[in-house]
Every structure is written in C-alpha cells, then in structure tokens.
C-alpha cells in the first residue's frame, strides 16, 4: 500500500493513560483507539496484526481437525438459566432486555451455546468426536479493565469446544489442542508455557493455562527449578512445613490490648510469625467461614473456595459479621469456640505445637493452642506456596514469576452436557451425556503480549509472522523521479511474490519516515536514496545495522528473511 493513502495515526508523545509497554506502543503506533473504559477501536494497522494472529490460530485449529463456526454474541437468558450460570456469573455479565422485556446477555464465553448446538445436531456416537471453534468478540464487564486490550471489556477470543463419547476421547481432543496451542504461540513469536491451572469445583488436573512470563502479568506462576513442574499459584500444592515436636502446654489467655496485627503480636510476644496461626473470616455465598493459616502465610482464596464446593462470591467478612462469629472486634479471632459454618485449618497449622491465636474476646489472645486438643476443623491445603518452598512433584525448590494468561484449555467432562441434557446414543443404544472440553485463546491479549516481548526504545519489533507489513520502502526524496521509479519497481515486485510492502511516498523528511517505520515495527526497510547512482539501496532489519546492497539484490534479500523465519513467499 502507498502510505499517502493510508490512515497513519502515529503519536510521538507517550499517552498518559497507558502504563505498560504494549498499551503505550499500540496507542503510539496507531493500532488502537479507546472509545470508553475497556472498549477499543482497531485502527487499520492494528487490524492487520489482529488478522495475522487470527489466521495463525485458524490454520493450526484446522490442522488439529477442528471446524470453524460462528455463534451470535447476543445470547438468550434461557440458555444461561439452563446451565445455572445466569444467576452465578455475577456483574461481569453484560445483561440486556429486548423490546418485549425478554432477558439476554452479551456472550462472555460460549459453553452453553455450543452445548445447545451439540444436543440439537449430534445424535450418535458415530458422529463423534467433534471440535468446533470460533474467533469472535466477547463481552465481560470487568471490575478493573486495564492495560489496553490486555484486560478489556470487549475482546476477541478464539474459543473451541470438543465433544467426545468417552474420557479417552476427551484426553485425545485435549492433547491435540495442547499441541496446537504450542504451535500457535511459537508461530506468533511468544514463549507461552502450559502450566497447571485451577479447574474450580470440577477438580483434578484437568486444566492448563498458557502463560507468558511478564513483569506486568496479573498471575503468579510457580516453576520448579529442578523439574518441569509449573502451576498457577492458585493451584500449586503447598507442602506443610513440619514443626519440631513439643510437649503440649496448658492454654493461657493473655491480655493484648490494641495488639491486633501479626507484626504487633510478634513484637508483643517477642517471638516469630511462625508461632502464630491467623484466623481469617469470610462471607462465602452468605455462609460464614473461617480459614486458618500460619502467621507468615497467605490464604489462597481459590483453594478455600474449592474446599467449599465452588463458591461464587468469597469476600472478607464485615466487622459486623466478624463480631457475630467471634464476639470480638476484628483482630482477635481464633478457632476456639468460634461460631462459623465451616472452619478450614491449613495442614501446617494442624501440625504446629503450642501456638498463639486470637481469643474471640476483644483485647485477648490465647497461648499454647494445639489442634485436636483445643479445636477441630477441616484440614487441607489452603495457603499460597512461597518462593523457595518444596516442589510438590520432585521436592526441588520452586521459584515464582509473574505471568500473563494468553490461553486456557480445560477438560469440562459432563458439567454442561448434564446440566443441559445434551446426550448422544452410544454403541449400546443408550443415551449418554457428551464428554466435553473447552479451549480459549485471548486473541487481542496475545497481540499485546507479542508487543510486550518484542519492543525497544524506538517502538514495536514485530516478528515477521504477524507484522502488519513486511517491508517498508522509503524513497528519501519523493520529488526525485529516479528514486521514485526504483522504489515503485521494488514495491511492485515484492507485491508480485506475495510480500506485504508499503511505500512511504508521503511528503515528509526521511527521518520522520524512519521513526514511523520503527514505531510501527515494520521488520524490513529498504531506503532508496542518493546511492542509486552507484546502483545501490539501503537494506535494514528492524533491529540490525543498515547495509548497502545492489538494487537487483533487494528482492532476494527479502526472500532470505522469509526463509530464515520459515515463512514462504511465491
Ligand atoms: P483472567 O483470569 O485473565 O480474567 P479468565 O480465566 O477469565 O482470564 P478465560 O475465561 O479462560 O479467561 O478466557 C480465555 C482467554 O481469554 C484467556 O486465556 C485470556 O487470554 C482471554 N481473556 C479473558 N478475559 C479477557 C479480557 N478481559 N480481555 C482480554 N482478554 C481476555
Ligand atoms: Mg476473567
């Protein structure tokens, strides 16, 4: 394309609203523009990249035997009521009514829709397995939209749903998706590692998230330094640290006026955090629940929610609720005689000796508390694993890094097929629910993640596979007929062999053109200037030194780059 015909929206200034590199650069390169909080328009340049990412995904999904589909984004409430999610999805669901006052929502994900399609269209085991996918706009009224298209309220997702007749079939479908995802992210030029993820109340090792390591990521990912183990911290099992055996001492109530936080308590008792057990009180779907962890540990709310059978709304209890449960102000909760529906006790706490807890009386704590002798609860793993702890698989040391989730694969089993009565007839003529899997990729988030991994002080550095244009041809002086002639010739020849080229024929200084080219991240630049008298042009990759080449070599140079990147041209 000739740049004089293009809408170029590059910005020199860094927009104040953007915090992270990808967001800043997408705005500065003119890829996206904001309409409202978490709602973006894709400008021509952004759309080109988006389509390239989509095509990589499409090719690999097709290669894996999945079939493309397109569902509506406007979904009738009835479907969501059938699965039970109309009531539990919460405020993230964009709800609306039609003129007849019927309820609808804008689809945040499409399990219900695809389950409905399957129950209507697939009758027999002979038709299985089936994997349907779509690349479609999703709507989620996120509590905190941020980082541009990383976490937006409207975004594009590739979502796929597999239907199998049995568990073995699902395992195969799932592994195919896992392999396809590895190829997709490789081709997009990002390192995304599958890590064990929480599967909510369904449980088991049934889900993996594809994580890109990133300081601006919103997830904590646990990696073992000795083996391959990797898991989201929400899921990573923490091994209880063993306490030294002590003789059980008698309980002792201690007056601790205004001493509430662990820090204050450590000072007051002149001991370490490990000597304490904290009791946190939650409202879990209107039940009052307490969770106990050692003084230096953090409660893992996902583990707590799963232990309770999959809680929808887990919130810290209000001071009033705390008072009801403990008869005390916040800061003095403990397990002895606490009035809660469920008391969850972290394994580590159950193994401690003579520890200190709140007395359930304002201004008091109790020393020498011991599990079993003084209280009981449901013992389990309810805390976050921490840096340097034991790997649950090999016992090696774990390390924790921030990560961004770009994809998620999930063995659903019969969760939706049972709820929605979606059955097929098996080999023996019996009705059976479909065994399902679902597989998502955040397409727009992937695009932003590519930029996070590929940029420098001058702008974006697109991998050739997703670049909006491959080559930028820059005539230094557009009034110079010879320069324009050569630039045009290279441009036409590149187009002929299927290379996406742009020709910067704008009446701007060369410096401006170079800056824009770098900011937009175009992988190759061919500058046509005064050296044409020697039969030469300049060839430059986005992040390497410029070299002078013969005019006739230009096309071959571009071809070589494609070859190096394992991409084909005509
Ligand atoms: P997160 O924990 O980041 O909110 P999620 O678990 O809600 O993600 P899924 O429901 O598994 O995400 O959605 C599939 C994929 O869609 C995610 O892996 C992610 O890449 C993408 N995605 C989810 N929410 C958003 C959003 N608000 N903006 C952009 N992409 C998103
Ligand atoms: Mg989410």
């Amino acid at each position: 394309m000739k740049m004089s015909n293009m809408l170029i929206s590059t910005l020199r200034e860094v927009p104040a609203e953007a915090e992270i590199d990808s967001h800043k650069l997408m705005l500065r390169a003119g890829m996206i523009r904001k309409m409202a909080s978490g709602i973006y328009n894709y400008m021509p340049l952004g759309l080109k990249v988006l389509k390239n990412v989509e095509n990589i995904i499409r090719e690999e999904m097709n290669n894996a035997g999945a079939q493309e589909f397109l569902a509506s984004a406007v979904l009738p409430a009835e479907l969501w009521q059938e699965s039970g999610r109309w009531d539990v999805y919460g405020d993230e669901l964009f709800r609306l009514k039609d003129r007849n006052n019927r309820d609808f929502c804008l689809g945040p994900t499409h399990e219900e829709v695809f389950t409905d399609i399957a129950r209507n269209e697939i009758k027999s085991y002979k038709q299985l397995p089936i994997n349907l996918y779509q690349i479609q706009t999703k709507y989620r009224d996120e509590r905190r939209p941020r980082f541009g298209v990383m976490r937006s309220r409207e975004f594009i997702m590739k979502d796929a749903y597999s239907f199998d007749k049995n568990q073995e079939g699902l395992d195969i479908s799932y592994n195919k998706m896992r392999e396809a995802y590895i190829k997709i992210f490789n081709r997009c030029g990002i390192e995304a590692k599958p890590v064990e993820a929480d599967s909510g109340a369904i449980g088991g090792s049934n889900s993996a998230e594809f994580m890109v390591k990133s300081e601006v990521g919103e997830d904590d990912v646990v990696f073992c330094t000795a083996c391959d183990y990797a898991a989201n911290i929400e899921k990573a099992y923490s091994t209880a640290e063993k306490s030294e055996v002590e003789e059980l001492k008698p309980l002792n109530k201690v007056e601790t006026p205004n001493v509430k936080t662990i820090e204050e308590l450590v000072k007051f008792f002149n001991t370490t955090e490990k000597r304490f057990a904290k009791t946190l009180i939650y409202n879990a779907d209107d039940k009052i629940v307490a969770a106990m962890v050692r003084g230096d540990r953090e409660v893992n709310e996902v583990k707590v929610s799963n232990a309770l059978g999959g809680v929808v709304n887990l919130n810290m209890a209000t001071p009033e609720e705390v008072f009801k449960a403990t008869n005390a102000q916040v800061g003095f909760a403990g397990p002895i005689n606490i009035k809660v529906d469920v008391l969850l006790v972290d394994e580590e706490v159950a193994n401690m000796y003579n520890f200190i807890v709140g007395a359930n009386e304002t201004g008091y704590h109790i020393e020498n508390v011991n599990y079993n002798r003084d209280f009981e609860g449901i013992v389990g793993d309810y805390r976050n694993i921490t840096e340097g702890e034991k790997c649950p698989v090999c016992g090696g040391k774990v390390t924790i890094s921030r990560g961004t989730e770009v994809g998620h694969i999930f063995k659903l089993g019969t969760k939706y097929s049972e709820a929605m009565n979606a059955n097929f007839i098996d080999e023996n003529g019996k009705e059976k629910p479909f065994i399902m899997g679902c597989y998502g990729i955040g397409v727009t988030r992937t695009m932003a993640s590519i930029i996070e991994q590929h940029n420098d002080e001058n702008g974006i550095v697109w991998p050739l596979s997703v670049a909006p244009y491959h080559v930028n041809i820059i005539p230094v002086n557009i009034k110079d007929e010879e320069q324009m002639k050569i630039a045009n010739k290279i441009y036409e020849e590149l187009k002929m062999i299927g290379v996406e080229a742009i020709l910067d024929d704008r009446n701007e200084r060369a410096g401006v053109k170079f800056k824009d080219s770098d900011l937009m991240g175009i992988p190759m630049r061919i500058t046509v200037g005064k050296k044409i008298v020697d039969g030469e042009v300049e060839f430059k990759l986005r992040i390497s030194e410029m070299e002078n080449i013969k005019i006739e070599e230009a096309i071959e140079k571009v071809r070589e780059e494609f070859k190096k990147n394992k991409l084909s041209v005509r």
Side-chain angles (χ1 to χ4, degrees):
M1 177 139 205
K2 303 270 171 77
M3 280 178 84
S4 57
N5 299 327
M6 281 166 63
L7 174 62
I8 313 266
S9 311
T10 50
L11 306 171
R12 292 283 169 260
E13 299 299 315
V14 180
E17 73 204 76
E19 296 166 71
I20 64 170
D21 289 343
S22 57
H23 189 195
K24 287 179 194 165
L25 287 169
M26 285 178 92
L27 289 168
R28 284 192 54 210
M31 294 178 66
I32 54 168
R33 287 291 180 261
K34 181 169 145 181
M35 279 232 295
S37 165
I39 313 260
Y40 289 87
N41 292 323
Y42 290 84
M43 309 290 280
L45 195 78
L47 187 64
K48 287 282 274 181
V49 178
L50 186 60
K51 292 292 164 200
N52 291 341
V53 174
E54 282 184 9
N55 280 336
I56 289 175
I57 295 174
R58 186 171 281 119
E59 274 177 33
E60 294 301 337
M61 289 302 291
N62 292 346
N63 282 343
Q67 216 180 351
E68 191 164 0
F69 185 98
L70 184 58
S72 166
V74 182
L75 312 181
E78 289 77 26
L79 271 185
W80 281 68
Q81 281 153 352
E82 265 192 79
S83 71
R85 284 209 291 188
W86 182 257
D87 293 323
V88 302
Y89 210 89
D91 291 341
E92 224 173 90
L93 195 62
F94 271 108
R95 297 164 202 260
L96 62 152
K97 286 189 189 291
D98 72 3
R99 63 172 74 205
N100 299 316
N101 218 26
R102 279 186 59 195
D103 285 314
F104 288 84
C105 67
L106 297 178
T109 174
H110 274 65
E111 282 77 9
E112 284 82 355
V113 176
F114 282 76
T115 308
D116 183 50
I117 294 294
R119 75 178 162 187
N120 294 334
E121 309 296 330
I122 307 173
K123 304 291 173 215
S124 155
Y125 73 95
K126 289 182 198 151
Q127 294 166 276
L128 300 175
I130 289 280
N131 186 337
L132 297 173
Y133 76 95
Q134 62 177 345
I135 297 175
Q136 190 232 25
T137 305
K138 296 282 186 274
Y139 298 88
R140 294 183 184 182
D141 198 357
E142 297 275 354
R143 186 194 298 264
R144 240 190 118 198
R146 60 182 190 151
F147 297 159
V149 300
M150 278 277 188
R151 180 169 301 284
S152 47
R153 299 200 294 166
E154 184 193 72
F155 61 97
I156 295 173
M157 198 204 284
K158 186 285 300 173
D159 48 331
Y161 305 86
S162 67
F163 301 88
D164 275 281
K165 60 181 181 183
N166 53 29
Q167 189 61 40
E168 295 78 63
L170 171 59
D171 291 346
I172 294 169
S173 299
Y174 179 87
N175 284 332
K176 274 191 188 161
M177 286 296 104
R178 195 174 189 277
E179 295 307 314
Y181 276 35
I182 291 172
K183 288 185 191 147
I184 289 167
F185 293 119
N186 268 339
R187 284 182 63 184
C188 289
I190 50 175
E191 264 178 62
K193 194 177 155 64
V195 313
E196 275 183 31
D198 173 59
S199 320
I202 300 173
S205 60
N206 287 327
S207 137
E209 285 164 350
F210 281 75
M211 288 285 184
V212 182
K213 272 195 191 178
S214 161
E215 275 162 34
V216 300
E218 294 183 274
D219 287 276
D220 278 315
V221 189
V222 179
F223 294 94
C224 178
T225 53
C227 75
D228 273 348
Y229 181 74
N232 192 313
I233 199 162
E234 294 177 350
K235 163 89 179 177
Y237 178 77
S238 65
T239 315
E241 198 182 304
K242 291 245 156 52
S243 311
E244 297 250 339
V245 180
E246 293 173 25
E247 226 167 273
L248 308 194
K249 296 184 195 158
L251 288 179
N252 182 31
K253 193 161 110 181
V254 184
E255 195 175 353
T256 53
N258 289 322
V259 183
K260 295 180 193 169
T261 65
I262 285 287
E263 278 149 44
E264 291 163 352
L265 285 161
V266 165
K267 254 199 194 149
F268 184 89
F269 282 94
N270 191 23
T271 178
T272 68
E273 288 181 328
K274 293 188 182 184
R275 222 48 225 181
F276 296 88
K278 1 180 216 202
T279 309
L280 282 89
I281 304 179
Y282 291 92
N283 179 318
D285 290 344
D286 294 331
K287 281 200 167 142
I288 300 299
V289 171
M292 292 186 76
V293 293
R294 202 171 75 183
D296 58 332
R297 303 299 197 192
E298 260 176 38
V299 171
N300 181 315
E301 295 186 352
V302 173
K303 291 178 183 175
V304 166
S305 158
N306 288 342
L308 300 168
V311 168
V312 179
N313 287 308
L314 186 75
N315 295 308
M316 291 308 296
T318 62
E320 294 73 43
E321 286 167 334
V322 171
F323 193 85
K324 251 189 166 169
T326 65
N327 226 355
Q329 282 174 18
V330 175
F332 301 97
I336 303 176
N337 297 328
I338 192 168
K339 291 189 288 279
V340 289
D341 296 305
V342 184
L343 175 62
L344 300 174
V345 182
D346 190 66
E347 277 163 297
E348 214 162 49
V349 173
N351 289 328
M352 281 159 64
Y353 294 90
N354 302 320
F355 50 95
I356 305 166
V357 300
N360 294 331
E361 186 177 336
T362 304
Y364 289 89
H365 280 77
I366 301 185
E367 282 184 311
N368 304 330
V369 175
N370 290 278
Y371 184 72
N372 261 339
R373 186 192 70 178
D374 304 319
F375 69 97
E376 279 178 11
I378 304 173
V379 177
D381 169 26
Y382 307 121
R383 69 175 179 92
N384 283 338
I385 191 169
T386 57
E387 182 82 28
E389 275 192 62
K390 271 191 194 161
C391 163
V393 173
C394 76
K397 268 192 183 172
V398 301
T399 165
I400 300 176
S401 335
R402 301 294 279 170
T404 301
E405 177 197 323
V406 284
H408 195 173
I409 54 177
F410 204 110
K411 290 184 192 173
L412 288 169
T414 55
K415 184 178 152 103
Y416 292 91
S417 46
E418 269 179 21
M420 296 179 58
N421 225 348
N423 301 321
F424 65 97
I425 307 290
D426 77 357
E427 284 95 331
N428 305 315
K430 269 175 72 183
E431 276 212 341
K432 288 249 176 75
F434 294 107
I435 315 289
M436 291 174 57
C438 70
Y439 318 92
I441 292 182
V443 183
T444 37
R445 186 183 287 181
T446 296
M447 183 159 111
S449 295
I450 299 172
I451 302 176
E452 283 296 324
Q453 292 204 340
H454 299 275
N455 71 77
D456 66 8
E457 66 281 6
N458 297 322
I460 303 170
V461 184
W462 288 118
L464 196 57
S465 58
V466 296
Y469 296 96
H470 303 123
V471 184
N472 190 0
I473 303 154
I474 303 180
V476 173
N477 178 3
I478 59 162
K479 306 222 168 78
D480 183 316
E481 270 178 32
E482 197 57 23
Q483 282 184 21
M484 282 309 281
K485 211 174 101 196
I486 290 167
N488 265 307
K489 183 161 180 278
I490 296 173
Y491 171 71
E492 292 299 336
E493 280 179 27
L494 286 178
K495 274 209 322 201
M496 291 247 291
I497 61 167
V499 171
E500 290 255 23
I502 39 178
L503 197 162
D504 198 343
D505 56 348
R506 294 176 298 166
N507 190 10
E508 292 282 358
R509 282 180 297 114
V512 171
K513 297 183 181 182
F514 294 156
K515 273 216 163 70
D516 276 345
S517 188
D518 280 359
L519 180 55
M520 296 191 296
I522 312 301
M524 292 176 249
R525 195 168 91 190
I526 297 173
T527 308
V528 184
K530 283 185 182 147
K531 290 196 193 95
I532 53 167
V533 293
D534 306 323
E536 287 184 345
V537 290
E538 289 174 359
F539 180 85
K540 187 182 176 307
L541 297 180
R542 173 65 178 76
I543 41 169
S544 70
E545 290 301 304
M546 184 268 287
E547 57 178 314
N548 292 315
I549 59 166
K550 290 276 165 230
I551 296 170
E552 314 80 70
E553 286 169 7
I555 308 298
E556 196 46 40
K557 269 297 214 194
V558 174
R559 275 189 189 279
E560 268 172 38
E561 261 334 285
F562 272 80
K563 227 188 206 162
K564 270 190 223 157
N565 285 276
K566 299 199 175 70
L567 297 170
S568 58
V569 278
R570 265 179 243 134

